[in-house]
Amino acid sequence: MQGNFREHAAVLRRLGAEPVEVRLPEHLDGLDGLILPGGESTAITRLMRLYGLDDALRGFDAPIFGTCAGMIVLDRDHLGLADITTRRNAFGRQVHSFEADLDIGHGDEPVRAVFIRAPWIEEAGADVEVLAEVDGHPVLARQGRILVAAFHPELTDDTRIHELFLNQVREMTNVRA
Ligand code: GLN
């Protein structure tokens, strides 16, 4: 609809996946997963409603990865597919963008994350697993097939977050097959 879809498609291609741009409900047919990119959540929400993609997404049962504005669109106040509330522009209007090293656990190298007028997760249901935080605020989380990130993994060369998502996609494709 809007936002960084080209950048996400480039990372997916690099990792051997075949990206398809989704603008209409029928574009979802046969997809193994979906990324909702960052951009402007108000614009994305408006366009999704206009094209009927909001209802179509409520019936889409494959893994979904929402980044930044895409995370907002998945929350309780929008599509309701992730059991979270988000706070828009949470890090303050003055702080338009910053980078931070995220501890993702397992003794892994930290992830360098780019935040642009980013939201954070304000509240999360019991099924939501927080995977990384900044200053005590969740910025990466998973709830079953749904993955959300407050930052922009498509803007760095580190492909681990996309790989995390593609692993979820592969696992679910195997389960369904
Ligand atoms: N501030 C934007 C919003 O509220 C999100 C910013 C982003 O996606 N980089 O939609």
Coordinates of all heavy atoms in Angstrom, one line a residue, residues 38-42 67-69 72 88-89 116-117 119 152, ligand 1:
G38 N 6.9 -0.6 7.2 CA 6.8 0.7 7.9 C 6.5 1.7 6.9 O 6.7 1.6 5.7
G39 N 5.9 2.8 7.4 CA 5.5 3.9 6.5 C 4.7 4.8 7.4 O 5.2 5.3 8.4
E40 N 3.5 5.0 7.0 CA 2.5 5.9 7.8 C 1.3 5.0 8.0 O 0.5 4.7 7.1 CB 2.2 7.1 6.9 CG 1.7 8.3 7.7 CD 2.5 8.5 9.0 OE1 3.7 8.8 8.9 OE2 1.9 8.5 10.1
S41 N 1.1 4.7 9.3 CA 0.0 3.8 9.7 C -1.4 4.4 9.3 O -2.3 3.6 8.9 CB 0.0 3.4 11.1 OG 0.0 4.6 11.9
T42 N -1.6 5.7 9.3 CA -2.9 6.3 9.0 C -3.1 6.1 7.5 O -4.2 5.7 7.1 CB -2.9 7.8 9.3 OG1 -1.7 8.4 8.9 CG2 -3.1 8.0 10.8
T67 N 6.3 -4.3 10.6 CA 7.4 -3.5 11.0 C 7.0 -2.1 11.2 O 6.4 -1.5 10.2 CB 8.6 -3.6 10.1 OG1 8.3 -3.1 8.8 CG2 9.1 -5.0 9.9
C68 N 7.3 -1.4 12.3 CA 7.0 0.0 12.5 C 5.5 0.3 12.3 O 4.7 -0.2 13.0 CB 7.9 0.8 11.7 SG 8.2 2.4 12.5
A69 N 5.2 1.1 11.3 CA 3.7 1.3 11.0 C 3.0 0.0 10.8 O 1.8 -0.1 11.2 CB 3.6 2.2 9.8
I72 N 1.9 -1.2 14.1 CA 0.7 -0.5 14.6 C -0.6 -1.0 13.9 O -1.6 -1.2 14.6 CB 0.9 1.1 14.3 CG1 2.1 1.6 15.0 CG2 -0.4 1.8 14.6 CD1 2.5 3.1 14.6
R88 N 2.2 5.3 19.2 CA 2.8 5.9 18.0 C 3.8 7.0 18.4 O 3.6 7.6 19.4 CB 1.8 6.6 17.1 CG 0.8 5.6 16.5 CD -0.1 6.3 15.6 NE 0.6 6.9 14.4 CZ 0.0 7.8 13.6 NH1 -1.2 8.2 13.8 NH2 0.7 8.2 12.6
N89 N 4.9 7.1 17.6 CA 5.9 8.1 17.9 C 6.3 8.1 19.3 O 6.5 9.2 20.0 CB 5.4 9.5 17.5 CG 4.9 9.5 16.0 OD1 5.6 9.0 15.1 ND2 3.7 10.1 15.8
I116 N 12.6 4.9 13.2 CA 12.2 6.2 12.6 C 10.8 6.5 13.1 O 9.9 5.8 12.7 CB 12.2 6.0 11.0 CG1 13.6 5.6 10.6 CG2 11.8 7.3 10.4 CD1 13.7 5.2 9.1
R117 N 10.7 7.6 13.8 CA 9.4 8.0 14.5 C 8.7 6.7 14.9 O 7.5 6.5 14.6 CB 8.6 8.8 13.5 CG 9.2 10.2 13.3 CD 8.4 11.1 12.4 NE 8.4 10.6 11.1 CZ 7.3 10.1 10.4 NH1 6.2 10.2 11.0 NH2 7.4 9.6 9.2
P119 N 7.1 3.5 17.0 CA 6.2 3.1 18.1 C 6.9 2.2 19.1 O 8.0 1.7 18.7 CB 5.1 2.4 17.4 CG 5.7 1.7 16.3 CD 6.9 2.6 15.8
H152 N 13.2 -0.9 11.7 CA 13.2 -1.2 10.3 C 14.3 -2.1 9.9 O 15.4 -1.7 9.4 CB 13.4 0.2 9.5 CG 12.3 1.1 9.5 ND1 11.3 1.0 8.5 CD2 11.8 2.0 10.4 CE1 10.4 1.9 8.8 NE2 10.7 2.5 9.9
Ligands
GLN1 N1 5.2 7.2 12.9 C1 4.7 6.4 11.9 C2 3.2 6.0 12.2 O1 2.7 6.3 13.2 C3 5.5 5.1 11.8 C4 6.8 5.4 11.4 C5 7.5 4.3 10.6 O2 6.8 3.4 10.1 N2 8.7 4.5 10.3 O3 2.6 5.4 11.4

